[in-house]
Each structure stands twice: as C-alpha cells, then as structure tokens.
Amino acid sequence: MRNWSLGVVIAAMIAWHAAGPAVAQNDGWRLCEHGETIRERILGCSQIIAEGRRQSRYELAIAYGNRATAYGRDNDYARAFADAAEAVRLAPRHHGSWEVRGRIFLERNEFDLAIKDFNRALSLSATYTPARYNRAIAYLGLRRYADAIADTTKVIEFEGPRSDAFNIRGVAHSRLGNWALAMADFGAAIIAAPESPKPWVNRALVKKDRGDFDGAIADLNASIATGKDLLFGTLTRATVYRSMNDEERALADFRIVSKLPSRSPSGYNQRGIAYRILGDPNSAIAELTYGLALSPANTDLLTNRGNARSDLGDHAGAAADYGEVIRLDPQDVNARIQRAKAREMLKDRRGALDDFRAALTLFPGHSFAEAGVARLMRQIADSEHGGRGPTATAGTRVALVIGNSEYRFVPLLDNPARDSVAVADALRKLDFATVGLCKSP
C-alpha cells in the first residue's frame, strides 16, 4: 500500500437540480447553485432552507444536498453528512440525494456505506454517471479493481472521453499489474485534459515501478507545471529522486511539501510524510492527527501516524494505530507486520506472533514474517523453559512422536498410544510448527 492518497478526483455536482425559471430569479438559488465561492454557496442554500415552507420538499432536498456538497468541499464533514442525510429524508426517490450522501461517506473513506448509497442512486437512475464514477473510486478503496474498471468503462461509454474516468480506470489496471492498459488509460486522460495533474502523477508512478525514472521525473515536472495539486506531484517526485539515490533533490522536495498549504486529509497526510522523512516525527504526528479529525477511517493517515509514533518510541500508540488499520482493512499485510513489530517492542510476544502468522496467511512466503515467527517461537519456548528447553536449533521446530504399542515378543501395550498423543499435544503447546504422530495399532 502506498503511503499517500491515490490520484483520484471525487465527482461533485454542486447543483444536482436545474431550478425552474421562477426559482432561478431567487438570489438564494443563484448563490446556492452557482456561487463563485464555497461561502457563497453555503449562504445561498442556507437562505433557501431558512425560507422553509415557501419551498417544496424536493426543493429543500436540493438546497440541503448542495449545501452538503459545499460543506464537504470545506472539509466540514459533520455538517456535510447532516445535510446529506436530510436531503435523503426529504427526497428518498431522487438519485441525487443518495449520491450526495454516498460522496460524503466516500470522502471519509467509509467505502462500504458509500457503495450502498451509490447503488441506491443507480437503482433510481442507471445512467447517472456521478454515482457510477464515485462508486468506482469506492471500489478502488476496497481493492475491487475489476468492478472499478467496469464502472469507469460505463462512464466513458455514456459521456465519451472523460479524463478523470480514464485516470481511475488506469489506477485500477495498474493495481492489477496491467501495465500496458494502465499506460494507455493515463495517456488518454492526459490527452483529454492535459491541465489535470493526477494522470501525469499516476503515469509517473507506473514508470517508476517499471524502472523508468527519467520518464517519471518528466511526467512529474509536467504535473507540477499545471500549478494544481502541488503536494501530490512534489511528494511523488521526492520519492522518485530517492529511488534514484538523489538525496539532495529528494530532501529539497520534501521541504517544499512541508510548507505547502492544504486543509484536505490527503494534504495533511502528504505533509506528515514529509515531516517524518525530514526527521520531525512530532510535526508529522500533528499533521496526521489533523487529517484524521477530518477523515477518521483513512488508513493512510493511521499507518503514517503509527510509523511516526514508532520513530518516537511510542510503540503502544503505534500498535493502536495499526490495530485500527487492521479493523478497517483486515487484508492489510503491512499493518499486520508493523503491529507485530510494535508488539514485539512491547514484549507482547504472543500478540506479535499472532500478527506475523496472520501476515503469512495473507502473504504466504513473506520472508520478514517467516523470520519473525521463527524468532518468537524460540523466545517463547526459552521463556517457558527458563532457557533450558530444546530451543538451540535454528529455523522452524518440528517433531515426530512415535507411540509403538506392538512388539514382537511382548503382549500389546496400552500406554504408548495414549502417551504419544499427550506428548504431541504438549509439543504443540510449545509452538512446534509441525508435530507428526505415528502410533500402532
């Protein structure tokens, strides 16, 4: 998992209803639907809502939905969600109500809830592309890449060449290792909207992963030249410079990132990464905590705060952050490994062993997890035997227990079969990885 947000854009339709001629004359509606600033839109929609009885339920739902979108743009998710929920209550048969609330869930990384609302919107209007596009982003968050590809392909079929849809589909293809398809989609996104920075960054990430560092830097320079989303482009360029062993340029870019303003969760995340790399974990934790106040379910923010807490020796805090990542995404191998390391530092060997084993279940053959299991099993056995147990051998401990009850010149014995089972059980409790049991008859 990369430690910064994917280059995606959440579709936000400020006005999901075209007001009628009479309503359009109302200054409140003009600001609510077409205000030039977030503040103007909030004020205009608030005026409509304050008029109350003069508006139909449907018109009030539109005002609440548009104000929810404006609050979301302002990162005020509590008010955004409250308004979106009211829009759904007032107009449950309108696809726009469900799409607005789904978008708020999406911005908070609550992907399952977002998908449920987008599904409801699409059940009311199958051709409503904002819901389909945003559902694709939610599918990306859940690693449902084939579903994301299907949704973005539909969006392109409905609307024609659309840069952000090509970009999302390219991200999904890259996650599946379909490099040629990903490059084609990012190229199409750039042709459709060369002024959009995200396709440039995502194509650069593919080039970096394929070892084309010069090509990646060229794309990142193009992204930065657009003057948009400078945090994302500059941070990614810093990581490419690091891969090129150009530490001087990498640190210069990290310093730029630490000073760029942004009040979005991804902006706080990117600044947190920069501060940590610059050796300032306290500032990193502060930035990441601000981001989590806006997006509590953001696993990137939680992972990076856990990393910064580990840098400070706060292993309990780090374990708590990684634990929350695991709760939100049980398939996250990195979080399992990192929590195992934190638990080991806290002398919680059993907990660390459980995490390493869980990581191996998700990622068989993970060398670091295998080494952790072997190390912790030896340590646990040593502690249980006061250092006198049979733990000197390296690697995984195995045992073969033979319970032979049948001899040539003596009658059949009862005890060996029972005793062998008891011995095998005792060895398993000492964390022998494999216990073979042979008994006769």
Side-chain angles (χ1 to χ4, degrees), residues 387-401:
R388 297 185 299 276
T391 60
T393 57
T396 303
R397 302 168 68 216
V398 299
L400 174 63
V401 180

Side-chain angles (χ1 to χ4, degrees), residues 95 120-129 131-132 135 154 158:
H95 53 270
R120 187 65 180 270
L122 289 168
S123 73
L124 296 167
S125 176
T127 59
Y128 189 52
T129 53
R132 194 172 296 277
R135 188 173 70 174
K154 277 288 187 185
F158 288 144

Side-chain angles (χ1 to χ4, degrees), residues 8 35 114 168 202 342 367 381-382:
V8 297
I168 295 298
N202 285 323
S367 59
D382 277 344

Side-chain angles (χ1 to χ4, degrees), residues 14 30 39 62-63 100 132-133 140 152 159 184 186 190 220 311 324 371 399 409:
I14 289 294
R30 180 184 63 78
R39 185 54 45 195
I62 294 165
V100 167
R132 194 172 296 277
Y133 170 80
L140 278 182
T152 47
E159 296 195 7
F186 293 140
I190 289 168
L220 292 166
D311 293 344
E324 182 64 7
F409 298 112

Side-chain angles (χ1 to χ4, degrees), residues 272 275-289 303-319 321-322 338 342 345-346:
Y275 275 123
R276 180 174 177 243
I277 290 171
L278 292 170
D280 187 355
N282 285 305
S283 294
I285 290 169
E287 293 286 341
L288 296 162
T289 301
T303 298
N304 288 320
R305 190 173 69 174
N307 296 341
R309 284 175 163 172
S310 290
D311 293 344
L312 288 173
D314 178 11
H315 302 298
D321 278 345
Y322 300 136
Q338 296 303 324
M345 294 299 294
L346 293 167

